[in-house]
């Protein structure tokens, strides 16, 4: 259970991201080792080797720096009415999802997440125009199942928000007589009454 009105960090996020980085790095290092063992690497143009290795080292060095930097900016907060998510290394972003817009909450844990003891909670909302999409994902948390139940409990306490056009899903609005239509109905009734009186007179 996460405390309400307090920002909390995805404590397993860095470990999960580093696991993904290692998973990508292993086949690259293996390929370089095979090329070096077979002698093909030494037969290539040295500049090609230097540039290729330089790009790989630069890319993985940047990712290694970015992972903890992103973790320092990522935070979630559960309030009485909405879920908030802040993140961004270079550009700060904030996503706010009201509970009455949430249509589905699911918890998931893949093999790599299970390895690092992490999981994810997907928040889905009713989009405008009849479209449904994932608004945000709470990833890199250990108690993902408890967070899912906590959010669902808040969602069930609130009525669903009206969809585009102001109608509640599954409810057909009743047509009522407006003030502008009332005089027209009176005129029609008077005309019918006059016709009936004329018919009686003849």
């Amino acid at each position: 259970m996460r405390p309400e009105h307090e920002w909390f960090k995805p404590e397993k996020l860095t470990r999960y991201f580093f696991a993904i980085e290692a998973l990508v790095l292993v086949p690259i290092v293996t390929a370089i080792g095979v090329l070096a063992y077979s002698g093909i690497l030494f037969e290539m143009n040295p500049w090609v080797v230097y540039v290729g290795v330089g790009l790989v080292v630069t890319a993985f060095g940047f990712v290694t720096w970015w992972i903890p930097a992103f973790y320092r900016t990522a935070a979630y907060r559960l309030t009485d009415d909405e879920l908030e998510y802040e993140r961004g290394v270079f550009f700060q972003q904030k996503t706010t999802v009201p509970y009455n817009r949430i249509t589905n909450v699911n918890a998931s844990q893949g093999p790599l997440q299970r390895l690092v003891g992490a999981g994810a909670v997907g928040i889905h909302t009713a989009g405008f125009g009849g479209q449904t999409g994932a608004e945000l994902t709470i990833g890199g948390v250990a108690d993902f199942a408890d967070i899912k139940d906590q959010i669902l409990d808040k969602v069930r306490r609130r009525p669903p928000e009206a969809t585009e056009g102001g109608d509640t899903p599954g409810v057909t609005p009743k047509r009522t007589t407006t003030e502008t239509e009332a005089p027209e109905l009176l005129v029609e009734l008077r005309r019918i009454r006059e016709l009936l009186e004329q018919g009686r007179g003849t």
Side-chain angles (χ1 to χ4, degrees):
M1 183 72 67
R2 298 288 175 147
E4 296 185 7
H5 305 286
E6 295 182 14
W7 292 98
F8 64 90
K9 309 289 287 184
E11 64 283 344
K12 300 289 185 177
L13 189 65
T14 53
R15 185 178 299 181
Y16 176 58
F17 280 168
F18 279 130
I20 295 176
E21 184 183 25
L23 191 65
V24 175
L25 183 61
V26 167
I28 294 177
V29 173
T30 302
I32 294 175
V34 171
L35 292 175
Y37 180 79
S38 61
I40 298 177
L41 185 65
F42 303 106
E43 296 176 359
M44 299 173 63
N45 189 319
W47 284 107
V48 174
V49 177
Y50 296 151
V51 171
V53 173
L55 289 175
V56 171
V57 171
T58 302
F60 278 91
F62 173 79
V63 172
T64 302
W65 167 84
W66 179 86
I67 290 174
F70 180 80
Y71 171 78
R72 287 191 294 269
T73 67
Y76 302 89
R77 182 167 65 176
L78 299 171
T79 68
D80 292 333
D81 301 315
E82 58 194 16
L83 169 64
E84 299 176 341
Y85 173 38
E86 289 186 346
R87 75 280 188 197
V89 177
F90 303 107
F91 302 97
Q92 292 292 323
Q93 301 180 36
K94 183 176 181 178
T95 301
T96 302
V97 182
Y99 296 129
N100 58 0
R101 281 189 55 206
I102 297 176
T103 57
N104 184 39
V105 183
N106 65 281
S108 61
Q109 187 184 48
L112 196 58
Q113 292 172 315
R114 191 178 298 111
L115 182 65
V116 299
V121 181
I123 311 297
H124 298 263
T125 62
F128 292 109
Q131 297 180 353
T132 302
E135 189 78 15
L136 65 86
T137 300
I138 304 176
V141 289
D143 55 340
F144 57 96
D146 293 336
I147 293 176
K148 172 196 170 185
D149 294 338
Q150 187 175 359
I151 295 174
L152 280 176
D153 182 63
K154 290 182 172 295
V155 171
R156 294 189 181 107
R157 295 178 184 178
R158 289 162 178 80
E161 186 182 60
T163 57
E164 187 178 12
D167 299 331
T168 303
V171 177
T172 303
K174 296 181 179 179
R175 188 178 185 273
T176 57
T177 303
T178 63
E179 294 181 358
T180 57
E181 292 176 338
E184 297 179 0
L185 290 175
L186 290 175
V187 172
E188 291 295 329
L189 290 173
R190 288 173 183 171
R191 290 179 58 186
I192 293 172
R193 181 179 178 181
E194 292 174 358
L195 291 174
L196 290 175
E197 290 178 351
Q198 291 176 3
R200 292 175 182 177
T202 59

